Amino acid sequence: MSIVWLLSYDGGVRMAVIPQLKGRLITDDPGALDRRMRWVQVGLPVILFLIVLVYETMEHLVPTHFRHVNPNFFGEVGFFGILGPGVVAIILGWIGRQVGERQRAEAAVRQLNAELEAKVRERTRRLEDANRELARKNEELQTLDRLKDEFVTLVSHELLAPLTSINGGLEMMTEVMDELPPSHRDTIEIMRRESSRLTDLVRKILDVSTLEAGRFRIRAGPVALPPLLRKWVRHHQSKAPQCELWLDTASNLPFVLADEEYLAEIVHNLLDNAIKYSPGGGLIQVRAWLKDPNTVAVSVSDQGLGIPAQLQERIFEKFYRVDGRESKEVYGHGLGLYFARKVVEAHGGQISVDSEPGRGSTFTFTLPVATEMVNATEGSFD
C-alpha cells in the first residue's frame, strides 16, 4: 500500500511520480491534457482497487480455499482498495487541474509571445523603413543646405563687387556735395548710408557662410587693444553725435592674442548695436581691463532699450531679434551677435550680456593675453 502513501505526500514527492507520466500527459493542447488526466484519474484508482482486491484475496481467501472469510478482508479492502484509491483520485484531480491551468497559462504566454514577436517584427520593419526615409530626407536636406550656402555665397560675392563700385562712386560724389543743391545732397547721403548698410549685411552673410562651411580661419597675433578701441570709438562718435561715447582702458594693458580684423568687427558690431538700441541717445561706455593674468575683458555698455532676462541667451542665435515695438523700429538682421560669439569662442574666449529692460545692456567678451610677442599664428574654427 506504499504507493497510496507516496501519492498522498506533498508536492516534492508527488512530482516524483509525475515525471514518468510527463511525456504522455503534458502536451501543447490543454484539451488533450484534460482528457488524459481524466483517464488517469479514473483508471489509476481502478487499477489500485483491483491490485488491492487481488492482494487481499490471496492473503485472506486463497489459504482457506474461500471457505472462511476473514473479517479483516473487508476492512483492508475498504480502507486500502476503496478509501486509498479515492484519495488518489482526489489528488490526481487536483494535480490535473493545476497542470491544466499551468498548461493553459503556458499556452497563453506562448500566444502572447508569438503576438508580441509579430508586433516587434512589424514595428522593427516600420522603424527600418522610417530610418531609411529619414536618412533619405536628411541627405536631401544636406544637399539643399549645401546648395543654399553655395547660392548665398555666390549671390553675396556678386552683390559685393557692384556695391564696392557704388560706394566708391558715392564717396567721390561727397567730395563735390557742396556744389550741389540741398535736396541732391540729402539724396546722396541717403544713398551712401543705405549702400554702406547693404554692404555691411553682405559682408556678414559671407562671414557666416564661411563660418558654417568650416572654412573660417583666424590668424591670431599680438594686438594692442587701446588703439583699436580708440579708433572705433571715434568712428562711431562721428556717426552718432546724439550719443556720448566714453573709453576707459586700464594702464599697462597687455597685448591680446587675436585676429585684429575680426576683433575690430566684433567691436564695431557691439558699438553699432549700442547706438541703434539707444534711440534717445545717452552714454555708451567702452572698457578694457585685465580680468586675470591670462585674460583681458572688454565691455560695451549702453543706456538703451535693454533685453528681457528670458531672451538674453537667444539673442546670440542666428537671425534672432528681440520681439518688441521699439526693437522692430531698429534696423538689423540678427547676424552680428551670432557671428561675434562664434569668433570670440574661436579665440578661446567667451561673450555674455547683462541687461535689464529700460536700463540698458552691457556686453562683455574675453580674449587670451599674448604672453609672448611672437609671429602671427593661424587657427581655425569648425
Side-chain angles (χ1 to χ4, degrees):
M1 301 306 101
S2 60
I3 186 169
V4 178
W5 177 81
L6 283 172
L7 287 173
S8 64
Y9 225 59
D10 61 2
V13 177
R14 185 167 64 246
M15 293 306 294
V17 180
I18 296 300
Q20 284 73 21
L21 305 176
K22 182 178 180 180
R24 296 182 180 179
L25 290 179
I26 298 180
T27 68
D28 291 336
D29 182 7
L33 177 65
D34 290 340
R35 291 191 295 273
R36 292 179 184 179
M37 285 302 300
R38 283 196 295 272
W39 276 106
V40 172
Q41 187 178 3
V42 173
L44 185 58
V46 171
I47 292 173
L48 291 176
F49 171 76
L50 293 177
I51 291 173
V52 171
L53 183 61
V54 170
Y55 179 83
E56 295 298 334
T57 300
M58 296 296 293
E59 182 180 5
H60 295 288
L61 299 181
V62 171
T64 62
H65 302 286
F66 297 93
R67 290 192 297 272
H68 177 70
V69 179
N70 192 325
N72 292 332
F73 172 78
F74 296 104
E76 291 180 2
V77 168
F79 183 80
F80 295 115
I82 297 176
L83 182 60
V87 173
V88 170
I90 295 172
I91 294 175
L92 287 176
W94 179 82
I95 292 175
R97 288 191 297 274
Q98 297 299 316
V99 174
E101 291 175 1
R102 179 176 178 180
Q103 192 79 359
R104 284 187 288 274
E106 290 177 351
V109 170
R110 285 193 295 271
Q111 179 66 22
L112 290 175
N113 285 339
E115 294 175 357
L116 181 60
E117 289 174 359
K119 290 181 179 179
V120 168
R121 286 194 296 270
E122 177 64 18
R123 295 289 176 85
T124 302
R125 184 187 63 78
R126 292 182 181 179
L127 183 61
E128 290 174 349
D129 293 342
N131 285 338
R132 284 193 292 269
E133 181 66 15
L134 183 61
R136 187 181 66 81
K137 294 290 186 182
N138 188 47
E139 185 176 353
E140 291 179 359
L141 287 175
Q142 289 178 349
T143 301
L144 291 174
D145 190 60
R146 186 179 66 255
L147 292 175
K148 180 264 296 180
D149 290 339
E150 293 174 356
F151 174 76
V152 168
T153 302
L154 177 63
V155 171
S156 300
H157 276 295
E158 293 299 321
L159 284 174
L160 194 59
L163 281 173
T164 302
S165 300
I166 291 172
N167 289 334
L170 291 172
E171 289 297 330
M172 293 177 61
M173 293 178 66
T174 56
E175 297 178 0
V176 294
M177 285 181 62
D178 293 340
E179 304 174 8
L180 299 175
S183 60
H184 292 183
R185 290 199 297 268
D186 293 341
T187 301
I188 293 173
E189 181 60 30
I190 292 173
M191 291 172 60
R192 188 179 68 82
R193 185 169 60 250
E194 294 302 322
S195 178
S196 176
R197 181 184 300 176
L198 183 57
T199 302
D200 184 58
L201 173 60
V202 171
R203 290 186 184 279
K204 281 187 171 63
I205 292 175
L206 278 174
D207 288 338
V208 171
S209 299
T210 301
L211 185 150
E212 294 185 339
R215 300 190 302 269
F216 181 73
R217 296 289 182 271
I218 58 171
R219 293 170 175 82
V223 178
L225 269 177
L228 184 144
L229 296 176
R230 192 177 303 113
K231 169 187 173 182
W232 285 102
V233 166
R234 288 174 178 173
H235 172 78
H236 284 278
Q237 181 68 81
S238 63
K239 291 175 57 179
Q242 76 277 11
C243 296
E244 180 184 355
L245 274 70
W246 179 67
L247 174 64
D248 177 25
T249 58
S251 60
N252 299 323
L253 194 67
F255 284 73
V256 295
L257 187 63
D259 186 312
E260 186 169 1
E261 179 182 351
Y262 286 125
L263 177 57
E265 188 167 353
I266 294 171
V267 174
H268 164 66
N269 284 336
L270 294 180
L271 283 171
D272 192 50
N273 284 345
I275 293 171
K276 287 191 301 185
Y277 290 96
S278 299
L283 177 65
I284 296 175
Q285 302 181 64
V286 180
R287 297 178 60 240
W289 70 96
L290 187 65
K291 184 177 180 180
D292 60 54
N294 299 313
T295 307
V296 171
V298 180
S299 69
V300 177
S301 303
D302 62 63
Q303 298 174 336
L305 302 177
I307 305 165
Q310 67 272 18
L311 301 179
Q312 291 179 12
E313 186 63 26
R314 295 201 61 190
I315 60 174
F316 294 101
E317 297 175 5
K318 184 170 58 175
F319 296 119
Y320 183 81
R321 298 191 66 208
V322 176
D323 188 13
R325 181 177 60 83
E326 297 87 352
S327 300
K328 288 182 178 179
E329 295 175 356
V330 178
Y331 172 81
H333 36 70
L335 289 175
L337 291 177
Y338 169 78
F339 186 72
R341 166 171 277 187
K342 295 297 184 182
V343 172
V344 168
E345 290 176 348
H347 282 81
Q350 295 180 334
I351 186 170
S352 60
V353 60
D354 181 19
S355 181
E356 185 177 343
R359 304 192 65 176
S361 305
T362 298
F363 287 86
T364 304
F365 66 91
T366 59
L367 293 170
V369 170
T371 55
E372 296 181 6
M373 300 296 289
V374 296
N375 293 330
T377 59
E378 183 171 323
S380 65
F381 175 77
D382 295 330

